[in-house]
Amino acid sequence: MKNNHPYIIEINSIGSSDLGYISVAEIDGNIPFEINRVYWTYYTPNNVQRGFHAHKELFQVIVAVSGVINFKLITQFGKETHYTLDDPSKGLFIPKMHWREISFSHNAVLLCLASEKYDESDYIRDFDSFLNNGGK
């Protein structure tokens, strides 16, 4: 994977306000990796924050299928970036080794396209360890 920086991906949408829309995510189209896992979160109360981890190898594209989802991403060097997903035709590419803190609006639905299958050993769950040595 060449890009080590988060960025917003435009996801092509077709349709109209009369009939509705469809958005398509495709490998080699707008998703920069092979998708090995898809999951979604929902019914997350808007006063709850999630995330609080980084991944050693996993890449993700996150889409707010419904509602608003705010991300605070932090590099190992402490640089913060903030993103708001509020349109299902936009995805957030999150490269490996980015700490994430996520907040949700009421009834937000988060869809995640992941480069790897679930592997607990890929998670870094201690922030100080992440900053100091990448969770090693």
Side-chain angles (χ1 to χ4, degrees), residues 6 20 32 39 68-69 113:
Y39 65 88
V68 179
I69 304 171
L113 308 174

mmCIF file of all heavy atoms in Angstrom, residues 6 20 32 39 68-69 113:
data_model
loop_
_atom_site.group_PDB
_atom_site.id
_atom_site.type_symbol
_atom_site.label_atom_id
_atom_site.label_comp_id
_atom_site.label_asym_id
_atom_site.label_seq_id
_atom_site.Cartn_x
_atom_site.Cartn_y
_atom_site.Cartn_z
ATOM 1 N N PRO A 6 -4.426 9.214 5.779
ATOM 2 C CA PRO A 6 -5.878 9.121 5.591
ATOM 3 C C PRO A 6 -6.331 10.095 4.515
ATOM 4 O O PRO A 6 -5.727 11.154 4.327
ATOM 5 C CB PRO A 6 -6.441 9.527 6.950
ATOM 6 C CG PRO A 6 -5.306 9.585 7.888
ATOM 7 C CD PRO A 6 -4.066 9.706 7.100
ATOM 8 N N GLY A 20 -34.112 7.462 -5.568
ATOM 9 C CA GLY A 20 -33.097 7.009 -4.637
ATOM 10 C C GLY A 20 -31.764 6.830 -5.334
ATOM 11 O O GLY A 20 -31.632 7.054 -6.542
ATOM 12 N N PRO A 32 -8.604 1.015 -2.444
ATOM 13 C CA PRO A 32 -7.197 0.780 -2.787
ATOM 14 C C PRO A 32 -6.594 -0.508 -2.217
ATOM 15 O O PRO A 32 -5.378 -0.592 -2.046
ATOM 16 C CB PRO A 32 -6.504 2.019 -2.204
ATOM 17 C CG PRO A 32 -7.330 2.383 -1.030
ATOM 18 C CD PRO A 32 -8.756 2.045 -1.419
ATOM 19 N N TYR A 39 -17.869 -5.195 7.786
ATOM 20 C CA TYR A 39 -18.734 -5.191 8.967
ATOM 21 C C TYR A 39 -19.378 -3.821 9.110
ATOM 22 O O TYR A 39 -18.974 -2.864 8.463
ATOM 23 C CB TYR A 39 -17.964 -5.570 10.244
ATOM 24 C CG TYR A 39 -16.890 -4.600 10.661
ATOM 25 C CD1 TYR A 39 -17.185 -3.515 11.477
ATOM 26 C CD2 TYR A 39 -15.576 -4.770 10.264
ATOM 27 C CE1 TYR A 39 -16.209 -2.627 11.879
ATOM 28 C CE2 TYR A 39 -14.592 -3.896 10.662
ATOM 29 C CZ TYR A 39 -14.909 -2.829 11.478
ATOM 30 O OH TYR A 39 -13.936 -1.957 11.862
ATOM 31 N N VAL A 68 -24.188 10.781 10.954
ATOM 32 C CA VAL A 68 -22.910 11.484 10.942
ATOM 33 C C VAL A 68 -21.944 10.763 11.863
ATOM 34 O O VAL A 68 -22.291 10.417 12.997
ATOM 35 C CB VAL A 68 -23.079 12.947 11.413
ATOM 36 C CG1 VAL A 68 -21.741 13.677 11.428
ATOM 37 C CG2 VAL A 68 -24.087 13.679 10.538
ATOM 38 N N ILE A 69 -20.728 10.543 11.359
ATOM 39 C CA ILE A 69 -19.688 9.889 12.146
ATOM 40 C C ILE A 69 -18.446 10.774 12.104
ATOM 41 O O ILE A 69 -17.980 11.158 11.026
ATOM 42 C CB ILE A 69 -19.371 8.484 11.602
ATOM 43 C CG1 ILE A 69 -20.647 7.644 11.544
ATOM 44 C CG2 ILE A 69 -18.310 7.804 12.463
ATOM 45 C CD1 ILE A 69 -20.499 6.311 10.831
ATOM 46 N N LEU A 113 -15.020 -1.485 5.230
ATOM 47 C CA LEU A 113 -14.387 -2.409 4.289
ATOM 48 C C LEU A 113 -12.951 -2.563 4.768
ATOM 49 O O LEU A 113 -12.219 -1.574 4.860
ATOM 50 C CB LEU A 113 -14.428 -1.832 2.871
ATOM 51 C CG LEU A 113 -15.805 -1.373 2.390
ATOM 52 C CD1 LEU A 113 -15.687 -0.691 1.034
ATOM 53 C CD2 LEU A 113 -16.772 -2.525 2.336
#
